[in-house]
Amino acid sequence: MTLIGAAPRTRGTAVAGLIVLVLTAGCAGGGPGHPSGGARPTAAAPKAAAIPQLVSAADKRLPVQDFLLTNAQQDRLDLAKAVLVQRCMARFGFAYRAPAVPQQFRPRTLTQLRYGITDAAAAARHGYTPAGAGRQQPHRVPAESLPARETLVLNGTNDPHVKPGSTSAYSGTRVAGRTVPAGGCRGEALRALRSDDRQAGGDAPLVDRINVETFQASQRDDRVLRAYGRWSGCMKRHGYRYASPDEAAADPAWRTATALAHERAVAATDARCKAQTNLVGVWYAVELAYQLRVVKQHTDELARIRADVLLRQRLAAAVLKERP
């Protein structure tokens, strides 16, 4: 789903949450050769191309990016959905406005934070929390408090046991002389944008699994583990004992309102040790090899997903073009 690198679009908790999430990317089952789950593959680790010398991978691409929604594409879909819901609610006599979604930090690229913090100068100022990202729990969209009839039209149900907006949220109820659509106005908007399947307007489940599981596979790969060891040795020489970058980023000592001097020193050393040991270059090359292999295994499915992404973008653009 989403921030992160491996972690689908932005997940994490306070403090170094963004970095931690990049490094602990999800819990999907199965292995990189079997994105649908099941037994872990026994295939040998894929060969990596020449290992690049990298301080940061922020401007490097991974194959899965061709099938993930960009931030701009996700925003377009979300805005189009909001417009369609508003129009639908107006048909039933409700002047509905969706609650504003709090702005949250998002990496500028999939790989900006995927392998942890890499900018030593920024780390020396901000510690493990990227500039522009809050250190506290992200604000949640406030729960809506609407009259029962309005909620029924919006979600298609007032039953707390039925998923709002789903096709199962349908009773054929009439409000203001009109039949409430299946899933209410939310369901209608999702269907109009061809987003009423399991991905519900986000990334396809297969793509999410590839994104997460190739990252997890790279973390288990001997080449990356050896690079972790070199990085850990570098950190130890500076007086910091961590076995891996995610352990450093997740240190409970960083649960403070601001980045204190010790955190800033550790984070800056972390980034410098990554550069000195070429951890990012190794990690990126290894994960790239896993992704190339898995993407090749799912060529036809991913082609259909790519076509669906483009279709939904065209539908969203048409909705927004018609917006008054």
Side-chain angles (χ1 to χ4, degrees), residues 29-41:
H34 295 269
S36 59
R40 183 172 296 173

Side-chain angles (χ1 to χ4, degrees), residues 157-296:
T157 183
N158 281 318
D159 185 342
H161 302 293
V162 177
K163 183 180 178 181
S166 66
T167 52
S168 58
Y170 180 66
S171 63
T173 304
R174 293 179 67 81
V175 173
R178 294 176 178 271
T179 302
V180 177
C185 288
R186 282 181 170 154
E188 181 179 279
L190 287 172
R191 288 189 295 277
L193 295 171
R194 302 288 180 89
S195 299
D196 54 330
D197 54 11
R198 287 182 59 202
Q199 60 208 62
D203 294 312
L206 171 63
V207 178
D208 267 339
R209 288 195 294 274
I210 291 173
N211 186 33
V212 171
E213 291 175 8
T214 56
F215 181 83
Q216 293 174 331
S218 73
Q219 288 181 300
R220 298 188 296 265
D221 190 278
D222 287 343
R223 292 162 290 186
V224 174
L225 292 175
R226 287 193 294 271
Y228 278 4
R230 293 189 292 272
W231 171 91
S232 182
C234 176
M235 293 291 283
K236 186 176 179 180
R237 288 191 293 275
H238 289 85
Y240 308 126
R241 294 179 178 273
Y242 297 103
S244 64
D246 54 322
E247 183 182 331
D251 193 324
W254 315 152
R255 294 173 187 167
T256 54
T258 59
L260 303 181
H262 180 54
E263 178 190 341
R264 297 197 302 272
V266 172
T269 304
D270 177 344
R272 287 193 292 268
C273 283
K274 283 192 179 88
Q276 290 169 23
T277 60
N278 196 32
L279 172 56
V280 175
V282 172
W283 202 344
Y284 169 74
V286 168
E287 187 181 12
L288 176 63
Y290 278 105
Q291 285 208 3
L292 287 169
R293 182 168 73 179
V294 178
V295 166
K296 185 176 181 180

Side-chain angles (χ1 to χ4, degrees), residues 1-11 21-22 25-26 114 211-212:
M1 232 139 281
T2 283
L3 266 182
I4 94 174
R9 308 241 170 229
T10 260
R11 300 190 301 240
L21 267 171
V22 172
R114 194 173 185 93
N211 186 33
V212 171

